[in-house]
Amino acid sequence: MRVLTRLLLGLVATTTISVICGADEAAKHLKPLDLRLFHSLRRITSAPAVSSDQSRALYTTSRYDQDLNKEFSYLCLLDIVTGNRTQLTPESANGEHISNPLWLGQDTAGYLTSGSLYQHSLVAESNGTLVYNATVNIASVVYRPATSTLFFTANVYPDGSISNVHENQVKAKNRTDSAQVFDNLWARHWNKWMTPVKTNLFAVSVNNKGPVVSVAGVGTESNLMRNLTEFKDPLLRWDVDGYTVSNDGKYVAFVVRNPSLEMVWSTNVDIYVVPADGSSAPKLITGDFKGAASGPAFSPDNSSLAWLQMEGPGYESDINRIFIYNLSTASTRSIARDWNMSLQSIMWSADSQKLFVLTPDHGDRRIVSMDVNTGSRSNISGYGYVSSIVRLGNNKLLAIYSNVTDTSNIHMLNICGGSGENQTTTTTAAAAAMRQITDVNGDLLQGVYISSAEDFWFTGALNEKVHGWLLRPHGFDPARKYPMALLIHGGPQQASTHSFGLSQWNPNMYASAGFVTVVINFHGSQGYGQNFTDSIKEQWGGHPYIDLMKGVDHVLKNYAFVDSTRLVALGGSYGGYMVNWLNGNTDRFSAMVAHDGMFNTVSNYYTTDELWFVERDVGGVPFTRDGRPKYELFNPERLASRFKTPTLFVHGANDFRLTLEQSLAPWTLLRRKGIPARLVYFNDEDHWINKPANSIRWYKEVLDWITQWTRV
């Protein structure tokens, strides 16, 4: 409950629960978290950018106005010492979204809007001035004052030139036909069809000797990818996925998926290093691996480059190992290979002797400090979810942090000590050193019911312990019986987390609607060791189904206020697949919701955009004698005759991971059988619901549906 959750960040969940459970009467007077309020909550939309003197930080914030149906964003200046916040720019609406804060000088801020770079004084709510307006939108800007160089990405045609983009656009517009011809299966990905336009990496010189920053001029940019070997198919050119620049501005490391005939069934993603002046061709440093590389980070002393590497081919959820490349000797080494947790992000310490890594851990996303020489490590954050970190001097970090009861805010951590505990030991003691600096939604959430998570463990599949938690509903009365909503996460190699997400799956939205809300991190989830994650291979409808059923049993046995006759199940992506699998295997749920789920494992193979995913997870290919039984084993369509639960299906037209037919088919099935079912179709969405107005409609349809069938 909100009034009692301003506790020290990092207290263990059970401590919070014991306090909160004694405040049920006070909580009854709080208003629920409704749709309008939820979608008006402010978001911190960037990691903080720290000034060179470590006293200030820039960050961007956005909010949505439902009455105007507009998103507004603005640039903020944070005084790290006092916590005072200054809004530097006026609110900018929709197409003029403000992003990518950076420092162009000690007292000069920079940001992107409408694809152009602006500079701004540190005066509140004043207008910025244009620095760089190319003929094409730019993104991901980095500035290195040591070499007065600006780095950025831009979408260009096969000639790799920014100057020629407009001419190429005119030619494309003047075509007399609209045919798109594909020979390679990499024809579309996520929500877009392949075109000759690809994201390339550029550098340009900057004049920064006075108070006004200026760029040498459009057309003087250097394409740092121009010397890569061209693939014969223009639709499969090099497309940068991310990059980083050394502190001295001399080297750039970038991430690319190598164009090839096997792109749809290969997870091979590489990292190249190139001189920032483009004086030589990019050098491949991950050629020994066939898995995905990600997250390159240069050490502050400019001597080394660290990155995350999946070593195995064809498995997008393989364990991420840390590799370090020495720029002088061109030698590579790997550290912490005894660790059984997969990492998601890395950053160097100021003295280049440690790495700070972000890793999922038992429903949290924690910061772990690791010695680059010995691989020894210790947790320096505990309960909750850290989405990003930046260095603040030698002994502190700034982190974007949230938990189940608190939206994302900027926090400061003292990293002098850490817990000192090694391996994957869970610790929360160090989290008391985390200090909240911003409170972007404190005023909006005053007097609003926000439920805490009550963690539980039970014995699931393979006789192994499985983790979950529940949230109590608004107006909770222990003498009453409440319906239960089971939220099933996607991935499947992801996890539900102790965080406050501003998307369609925030458990507190269902708790405020009157449901005991339950999440379970079934076999296949991240944060419980790589073996636990890997166990879902060829077991999509096996181990996770057992976990979910036993988890529901555990809740019904241990929480007397849950009504066993009013259960609903909801899931998206893999969670949507599981909803369909549940529909063919159990009748214990009163209603279900499947968002962009999978109904037919066989037909999905022939329409999805990434074959490596299903070939590894489901097992092989469905057109062979050995492969077909694996696809049929956990195929919901095979159990179509058993479907009987009223289900709401939601799908976006531009979802190429799981195409519309995967929702049309089970909807048709239930309707033809005379079972209540509904289809909610968004013609402007993809695998996710991205537009705020659509999110509001999504929640309304979903909450109305599950309420209708549980009589809340």
Side-chain angles (χ1 to χ4, degrees):
M1 298 67 180
R2 186 71 188 182
V3 293
L4 293 175
T5 54
R6 294 295 179 189
L7 304 173
L8 282 176
L9 296 172
L11 285 179
V12 291
T14 52
T15 303
T16 306
I17 294 162
S18 65
V19 175
I20 289 177
C21 288
D24 290 332
E25 287 302 316
K28 290 179 180 178
H29 301 290
L30 300 175
K31 62 184 179 181
L33 179 62
D34 60 33
L35 284 176
R36 186 180 187 88
L37 174 57
F38 180 75
H39 287 87
S40 69
L41 293 176
R42 306 178 188 99
R43 305 169 183 237
I44 294 179
T45 53
S46 71
V50 179
S51 62
S52 59
D53 65 2
Q54 312 295 303
S55 67
R56 297 165 293 179
L58 300 167
Y59 67 97
T60 54
T61 304
S62 70
R63 68 175 183 89
Y64 174 67
D65 188 310
Q66 185 175 343
D67 295 328
L68 299 175
N69 189 28
K70 287 185 178 180
E71 290 184 85
F72 295 90
S73 61
Y74 46 92
L75 178 68
C76 293
L77 174 68
L78 176 67
D79 186 313
I80 297 173
V81 178
T82 66
N84 292 335
R85 182 189 70 91
T86 303
Q87 182 177 322
L88 292 181
T89 62
E91 287 192 323
S92 183
N94 285 352
E96 298 179 351
H97 182 73
I98 291 176
S99 64
N100 201 155
L102 70 159
W103 291 92
L104 296 175
Q106 182 59 35
D107 295 307
T108 305
Y111 62 90
L112 285 178
T113 186
S114 301
S116 296
L117 178 64
Y118 285 76
Q119 61 185 336
H120 201 288
S121 68
L122 304 185
V123 177
E125 298 196 48
S126 56
N127 293 317
T129 57
L130 185 65
V131 173
Y132 182 54
N133 183 24
T135 56
V136 62
N137 290 349
I138 66 172
S140 304
V141 177
V142 172
Y143 174 61
R144 286 293 181 263
T147 57
S148 296
T149 306
L150 201 69
F151 303 87
F152 60 89
T153 62
N155 295 334
V156 294
Y157 284 81
D159 61 16
S161 169
I162 287 180
S163 301
N164 296 338
V165 167
H166 179 68
E167 178 184 347
N168 284 310
Q169 288 174 334
V170 171
K171 289 179 181 178
K173 184 178 180 180
N174 291 334
R175 282 183 54 191
T176 57
D177 70 281
S178 61
Q180 293 177 279
V181 180
F182 301 96
D183 293 311
N184 195 294
L185 280 178
W186 194 256
R188 58 184 185 171
H189 194 229
W190 278 121
N191 59 2
K192 290 183 173 62
W193 288 90
M194 293 297 120
T195 74
V197 178
K198 303 297 179 186
T199 304
N200 280 197
L201 176 61
F202 293 86
V204 66
S205 296
V206 170
N207 179 4
N208 196 11
K209 295 182 179 179
V212 178
V213 180
S214 62
V215 172
V218 176
T220 65
E221 311 88 357
S222 172
N223 187 328
L224 299 181
M225 300 169 63
R226 67 181 183 275
N227 290 321
L228 291 172
T229 303
E230 281 298 322
F231 191 68
K232 61 182 179 181
D233 187 338
L235 298 179
L236 300 180
R237 296 187 307 106
W238 300 89
D239 199 358
V240 67
D241 287 336
Y243 76 97
T244 186
V245 185
S246 61
N247 273 8
D248 60 9
K250 294 181 179 180
Y251 288 95
V252 181
F254 59 89
V255 182
V256 288
R257 184 182 299 278
N258 285 340
S260 70
L261 294 175
E262 297 81 26
M263 291 178 73
V264 176
W265 59 89
S266 169
T267 56
N268 188 23
V269 177
D270 282 318
I271 293 176
Y272 286 78
V273 175
V274 62
D277 59 6
S279 57
S280 62
K283 179 180 180 180
L284 175 65
I285 65 169
T286 56
D288 292 337
F289 309 105
K290 297 302 181 183
S294 63
F298 284 103
S299 59
D301 64 7
N302 305 302
S303 68
S304 302
L305 177 76
W307 76 91
L308 299 176
Q309 181 70 56
M310 295 182 183
E311 297 174 276
Y315 183 24
E316 67 176 16
S317 297
D318 194 10
I319 190 168
N320 261 325
R321 299 292 189 188
I322 298 176
F323 282 80
I324 299 176
Y325 176 79
N326 186 295
L327 293 169
S328 298
T329 65
S331 60
T332 300
R333 61 190 176 94
S334 180
I335 63 173
R337 297 192 66 84
D338 61 322
W339 203 5
N340 195 34
M341 302 292 270
S342 191
L343 313 182
Q344 297 178 338
S345 175
I346 54 176
M347 183 187 72
W348 289 85
S349 62
D351 62 4
S352 301
Q353 296 302 304
K354 294 181 180 179
L355 289 172
F356 299 113
V357 302
L358 296 181
T359 181
D361 190 341
H362 298 81
D364 303 319
R365 193 173 192 241
R366 304 188 178 195
I367 309 171
V368 177
S369 173
M370 179 182 298
D371 188 293
V372 297
N373 295 308
T374 66
S376 63
R377 50 199 176 270
S378 60
N379 289 335
I380 58 173
S381 73
Y383 174 79
Y385 188 91
V386 178
S387 57
S388 64
I389 53 175
V390 295
R391 285 189 302 272
L392 181 63
N394 295 325
N395 301 312
K396 293 181 175 65
L397 297 177
L398 289 184
I400 305 294
Y401 168 91
S402 74
N403 57 44
V404 174
T405 60
D406 293 281
T407 61
S408 291
N409 275 290
I410 299 175
H411 293 71
M412 182 190 298
L413 292 91
N414 189 320
I415 56 176
C416 290
S419 70
E421 298 195 36
N422 201 3
Q423 305 301 319
T424 56
T425 302
T426 301
T427 177
T428 57
M434 185 185 289
R435 179 170 68 87
Q436 183 172 330
I437 300 179
T438 64
D439 190 6
V440 297
N441 289 306
D443 56 335
L444 296 177
L445 292 174
Q446 283 295 324
V448 176
Y449 176 78
I450 306 292
S451 179
S452 288
E454 303 184 33
D455 291 62
F456 57 81
W457 290 80
F458 62 93
T459 301
L462 304 177
N463 203 35
E464 294 178 344
K465 291 296 183 181
V466 177
H467 183 204
W469 55 90
L470 65 77
L471 280 66
R472 301 189 183 208
H474 173 255
F476 178 73
D477 180 347
R480 287 184 55 193
K481 289 275 192 178
Y482 292 91
M484 189 196 87
L486 174 66
L487 304 186
I488 308 171
H489 72 71
Q493 293 95 346
Q494 295 178 1
S496 295
T497 58
H498 296 118
S499 61
F500 197 99
L502 294 176
S503 67
Q504 289 73 53
W505 302 101
N506 187 315
N508 259 297
M509 288 298 292
Y510 303 89
S512 270
F515 290 83
V516 174
T517 307
V518 173
V519 300
I520 293 172
N521 281 334
F522 46 79
H523 278 82
S525 302
Q526 291 184 327
Y528 303 88
Q530 190 63 29
N531 293 337
F532 192 87
T533 302
D534 293 345
S535 66
I536 199 172
K537 176 177 169 58
E538 300 181 18
Q539 280 289 324
W540 269 35
H543 303 332
Y545 174 78
I546 295 172
D547 292 341
L548 293 172
M549 293 301 96
K550 288 190 174 184
V552 172
D553 292 341
H554 174 88
V555 170
L556 295 176
K557 178 180 178 181
N558 291 277
Y559 299 89
F561 49 81
V562 178
D563 188 343
S564 63
T565 68
R566 294 189 291 163
L567 309 178
V568 295
L570 309 87
S573 194
Y574 171 82
Y577 158 85
M578 180 52 69
V579 164
N580 286 324
W581 186 247
L582 292 174
N583 215 332
N585 282 279
T586 180
D587 60 0
R588 73 190 305 178
F589 296 98
S590 301
M592 298 183 184
V593 176
H595 172 100
D596 287 48
M598 185 192 300
F599 173 67
N600 190 322
T601 56
V602 176
S603 65
N604 175 74
Y605 176 88
Y606 297 108
T607 58
T608 191
D609 58 339
E610 292 180 353
L611 291 182
W612 69 71
F613 176 50
V614 289
E615 288 184 4
R616 195 275 173 191
D617 267 33
V618 181
V621 296
F623 50 81
T624 65
R625 178 177 297 179
D626 293 336
R628 186 58 173 247
K630 294 180 180 180
Y631 279 77
E632 294 290 2
L633 178 60
F634 297 119
N635 185 0
E637 191 278 335
R638 181 174 58 82
L639 306 179
S641 63
R642 302 184 193 174
F643 276 47
K644 62 179 68 174
T645 304
T647 305
L648 173 71
F649 299 94
V650 185
H651 220 101
N654 300 315
D655 184 359
F656 300 152
R657 181 59 40 83
L658 292 159
T659 58
L660 177 61
E661 291 75 17
Q662 296 298 322
S663 286
L664 283 175
W667 177 58
T668 299
L669 166 66
L670 290 177
R671 293 290 296 166
R672 186 64 182 87
K673 294 178 72 173
I675 299 169
R678 178 174 295 167
L679 175 67
V680 179
Y681 171 67
F682 292 96
N683 65 3
D684 56 351
E685 296 287 7
D686 45 45
H687 198 61
W688 301 272
I689 302 298
N690 301 293
K691 299 181 178 180
N694 286 344
S695 179
I696 292 173
R697 182 59 182 269
W698 187 98
Y699 264 118
K700 185 178 187 309
E701 293 289 344
V702 167
L703 294 177
D704 285 353
W705 182 261
I706 61 176
T707 300
Q708 170 189 343
W709 294 101
T710 54
R711 305 178 303 282
V712 174

